[in-house]
Amino acid sequence: MSVSAIPLSVRRDGAQVAAALDRLHARLAELAECKAPDPVDPDTCPIPLLLELGRRLALSGGERDCALFAAAAELCGTTAGLVARFGAGPPSVGLAMRACDGLDWQALRPDGALRRARILVIGDAGRFTEQPLWVEEPVLHFLNGVSQLAPPLAALALVIGSQSVPTDDATVAEIAARLRGTAARLAVTPVALACEDVGEAVGHAIEGLRRAGLAALVIPTARLPHDAGALEVLQNLWLRDSLLHGLGLVLVGDTHTAPAQLLGWTGPVILVGIEAPPPLLGAHRVSVRHDRGKRRAAWGAALGEAQSAAQGERLDALAARFRLSTPAIAAIAAAHGGDTPDRLWAAARDAARASDLALIDRIAPVVTLDRVILPDDARRTLETIVSAARVHHRILDQWAGTAAGGRGLGIAALFAGESGTGKTMAAEAVAQALGLDLYRVEVSAIVSKYIGETEKNLRRIFAAAEAGGGVLLFDEADSIFGKRSEVRDAVDRYANMEVGYLLQLMESFSGLAILTTNLRDALDEAFTRRLRFLLHFPMPGIEERRRIWQRAFPAVLDTAGLDVARLARLPLSGGIIRNIALGAAFRAAAQGTGDTVTMAQVLEAAREEYGKLGRPAAEIDARCWS
């Protein structure tokens, strides 16, 4: 891969290099006890780019003269002739230390600037002062104006197309400010760029490097070697090429990136797609700004003036609900701009869907609100939750600038009631009515015995829900939202810290979170203040049970022979009724009655459920046939 060096003004350096060579030649002639050669002509000086390299590498005077000495021994006939007086082959370390003023042992250490950046190579035979010293071939090419990226780096790099990505000017300016002028330093603090879309983040990184006067080399961390030795060789090659060619490095990571792959890189480096860089990096964190206003403007620009006017309120909701990047919005608009608003919404939802699903179970909701059987007052509350979620973006816009900031503006609802009363089903119906995914939290996977892991898991869950715009469901919430206890030991202390951290996350969450519990009194009282809605799910009365029985079986089954009025006398929850209906369907299939479910099959399944509940089966006959 050929690269273009950044523009240089090197003509002015010719006279300075010529003067340095004259001093070097005089010193060599003195050591060889021969006549000093004629002065070097500045206009024919072969290596004026050396001073630029010295500036980029921040070389001391002795280090710069040593590099000049080694390079001139190959590129300058006069220097090569003088060196030949001391023996065949490249000059030795000892000769370099005698010829170059200010060159000391420190400058020639393996971790010194010259050797670490692979500018100089020192042989490994014989005593150190007798070992040969020479300039690596790529450096010689650079000094002659030829720019060529090291093949191992070129093999790993991504080829980035010429299509530009819309960028946030303030973010790009911040990146450039962090990196500008850093090419002359060996130890530079990397920039960790946080962005919801990796492609957009790479675009910001490339533009930030360009404004800092640097070209970009983009390498996915998945292509990096895991072997420590091979990685160190690659990092040294990078350091040299970044100095030679004025490059900045963009490392694109993923969830499988090993921390060791991020350590040891020097020069201008930007990390992309890495949620938590190793603390040893001490990286500057820069975020691509994706506020609702920017997303709304992106939707308007992508869909055009006519579409934007027709779907104004809908676009406001899209921008508020789904945290999509500008390129993603443009792609969705191009593919679905002519579709119905619902199709456009579904496309945005699918594009924003959380990628980190290790701790949550994504449910594509199919249950509709009319399937949820509740008393009238409870049903009105459920419908109010849906209405509030639909206009939630207006509240966010109106209240975000108040004294409380953006905290506490989310919608949290508690569904409390006995098992089987329809709490989870209602949560699914809410998500379906809003056209959103339901993210059910796997509580058992959250809690960890290792300190800090539970908090990390919780942060991942809330981040996934925010990014995907889904409804977050904590089933059996009392297991994690339980009351804090008196601190008696370290276990109590850390348990209380976890609850406190969960309270903070709930406070800052701007989406819709639903908690379900069978034990209302077991929840910590601090959560009550953060609840926008508290909906009690009672055991269904006889009229609710009749409606549940009517809808318990799929429409393809023939249930004309069922006496729903008699079955409704059984004091059962909706969940148990569903179990009985499923059991009866199994019996119908096994007994060869085809698609017809009989009353006898339902009663047989009911007796089985009563046995599981430890209740007398005689109650069935007493209630259904009396």
Side-chain angles (χ1 to χ4, degrees):
M1 179 184 292
S2 193
V3 295
S4 299
I6 62 175
L8 302 172
S9 299
V10 296
R11 278 293 127 201
R12 70 181 190 281
D13 293 336
Q16 190 174 351
V17 175
L21 280 174
D22 287 340
R23 292 194 302 271
L24 180 62
H25 291 164
R27 180 61 175 160
L28 287 172
E30 179 184 340
L31 293 173
E33 298 180 350
C34 66
K35 180 184 176 183
D38 294 333
V40 176
D41 184 356
D43 292 333
T44 62
C45 184
I47 42 180
L49 280 172
L50 183 67
L51 292 187
E52 176 62 29
L53 177 60
R55 284 190 288 268
R56 295 183 187 181
L57 198 52
L59 296 178
S60 66
E63 290 171 325
R64 186 190 63 238
D65 286 350
C66 181
L68 174 63
F69 173 49
E74 296 201 49
L75 299 177
C76 179
T78 302
T79 312
L82 290 170
V83 169
R85 289 177 172 269
F86 298 89
S92 67
V93 170
L95 179 60
M97 297 184 73
R98 293 166 65 193
C100 302
D101 292 334
L103 181 63
D104 54 18
W105 293 89
Q106 186 75 17
L108 297 178
R109 285 166 51 100
D111 59 350
L114 288 172
R115 295 179 66 185
R116 182 181 172 190
R118 298 179 69 110
I119 304 300
L120 292 183
V121 179
I122 295 178
D124 55 4
R127 295 188 303 174
F128 179 71
T129 55
E130 296 175 352
Q131 292 173 10
L133 173 148
W134 67 92
V135 175
E136 285 222 349
E137 180 182 344
V139 181
L140 292 177
H141 290 316
F142 168 79
L143 296 177
N144 281 285
V146 178
S147 297
Q148 184 73 28
L149 193 65
L153 288 173
L156 300 177
L158 289 178
V159 177
I160 305 298
S162 58
Q163 184 177 4
S164 62
V165 174
T167 55
D168 177 75
D169 189 72
T171 304
V172 169
E174 185 177 358
I175 296 171
R178 297 285 187 186
L179 299 176
R180 189 173 287 115
T182 60
R185 297 167 54 193
L186 283 175
V188 179
T189 302
V191 171
L193 185 57
C195 184
E196 290 145 9
D197 183 90
V198 172
E200 187 176 19
V202 170
H204 278 78
I206 292 173
E207 180 61 18
L209 288 168
R210 188 193 67 78
R211 291 198 191 181
L214 302 168
L217 185 69
V218 182
I219 296 179
T221 58
R223 297 185 180 183
L224 296 177
H226 289 272
D227 177 73
L231 187 61
E232 183 180 5
V233 169
L234 195 68
Q235 289 169 338
N236 289 340
L237 286 174
W238 152 251
L239 174 59
R240 183 186 66 198
D241 280 12
S242 70
L243 295 166
L244 295 183
H245 310 309
L247 295 175
L249 178 63
V250 183
L251 286 177
V252 184
D254 54 30
T255 55
H256 303 292
T257 300
Q261 293 178 304
L262 305 178
L263 300 174
W265 297 95
T266 51
V269 176
I270 301 177
L271 308 178
V272 170
I274 299 167
E275 181 181 347
L280 289 175
L281 280 178
H284 294 297
R285 298 203 53 98
V286 177
S287 297
V288 178
R289 294 162 178 83
H290 268 161
D291 56 29
R292 290 186 298 280
K294 180 183 176 182
R295 292 194 294 270
R296 178 61 179 83
W299 278 112
L303 290 173
E305 186 175 347
Q307 277 273 54
S308 298
Q311 298 193 43
E313 181 71 17
R314 190 70 160 178
L315 296 189
D316 291 342
L318 277 170
R321 177 63 66 179
F322 303 119
R323 296 192 174 186
L324 293 167
S325 65
T326 302
I329 290 172
I332 294 169
H336 302 279
D339 292 346
T340 63
D342 288 345
R343 291 284 298 276
L344 183 65
W345 180 275
R349 178 195 61 210
D350 294 345
R353 185 167 290 151
S355 58
D356 185 2
L357 298 176
L359 300 172
I360 53 181
D361 181 19
R362 185 184 68 82
I363 299 173
V366 295
V367 177
T368 56
L369 282 174
D370 63 317
R371 302 280 297 179
V372 181
I373 308 301
L374 287 171
D376 291 343
D377 57 344
R379 182 168 187 80
R380 282 193 293 271
T381 301
L382 194 64
E383 293 170 346
T384 301
I385 294 172
V386 174
S387 300
R390 283 177 175 156
V391 299
H392 185 224
H393 59 279
R394 298 182 193 169
I395 302 300
L396 289 176
D397 290 335
Q398 293 166 358
W399 287 69
T402 62
R407 299 186 307 278
L409 297 181
I411 300 175
L414 176 66
F415 293 176
E418 295 184 35
S419 178
T421 51
K423 303 182 294 295
T424 304
M425 182 181 181
E428 183 177 343
V430 168
Q432 195 279 337
L434 294 171
L436 302 173
D437 288 330
L438 182 65
Y439 294 145
R440 183 171 60 191
V441 177
E442 298 291 345
V443 175
S444 61
I446 295 176
V447 180
S448 173
K449 65 181 179 180
Y450 299 105
I451 295 174
E453 282 299 308
T454 300
E455 290 85 345
K456 179 180 178 181
N457 292 338
L458 287 169
R459 184 171 65 250
R460 287 174 59 188
I461 287 168
F462 278 89
E466 287 273 16
V471 177
L472 190 58
L473 171 64
F474 287 91
D475 238 344
E476 308 296 340
D478 47 274
S479 61
I480 190 171
F481 289 80
K483 291 182 178 179
R484 286 169 285 190
S485 59
E486 180 182 350
V487 176
R488 295 186 178 88
D489 53 28
V491 175
D492 293 335
R493 182 180 302 109
Y494 286 116
N496 289 349
M497 287 173 59
E498 290 169 359
V499 175
Y501 184 66
L502 186 54
L503 283 166
Q504 294 178 26
L505 292 174
M506 288 289 293
E507 184 78 20
S508 59
F509 184 56
S510 61
L512 171 58
I514 298 176
L515 288 62
T516 72
T517 181
N518 304 339
L519 305 170
R520 165 69 182 88
D521 294 336
L523 267 67
D524 193 290
E525 293 180 1
F527 287 107
T528 303
R529 180 177 63 83
R530 291 165 171 80
L531 295 173
R532 197 74 56 203
F533 300 96
L534 200 165
L535 178 55
H536 177 65
F537 283 69
M539 288 294 291
I542 189 168
E543 175 57 26
E544 285 83 21
R545 293 197 296 270
R546 184 187 63 80
R547 293 162 60 193
I548 293 172
W549 275 112
Q550 287 174 336
R551 303 182 184 189
F553 296 92
V556 295
L557 293 180
D558 181 5
T559 58
L562 300 186
D563 191 338
V564 174
R566 288 182 181 274
L567 291 173
R569 297 177 185 177
L570 297 175
L572 301 171
S573 68
I576 298 300
I577 291 174
R578 180 181 181 277
N579 288 345
I580 294 173
L582 188 59
F586 278 126
R587 284 169 170 78
Q591 294 170 10
T593 59
D595 293 335
T596 300
V597 179
T598 66
M599 192 69 171
Q601 291 163 345
V602 173
L603 293 176
E604 187 179 346
R607 290 187 182 94
E608 183 179 52
E609 284 297 319
Y610 265 66
K612 288 161 51 178
L613 296 172
R615 294 166 60 175
E619 181 182 328
I620 298 174
D621 295 329
R623 289 183 179 271
C624 289
W625 308 113
S626 58

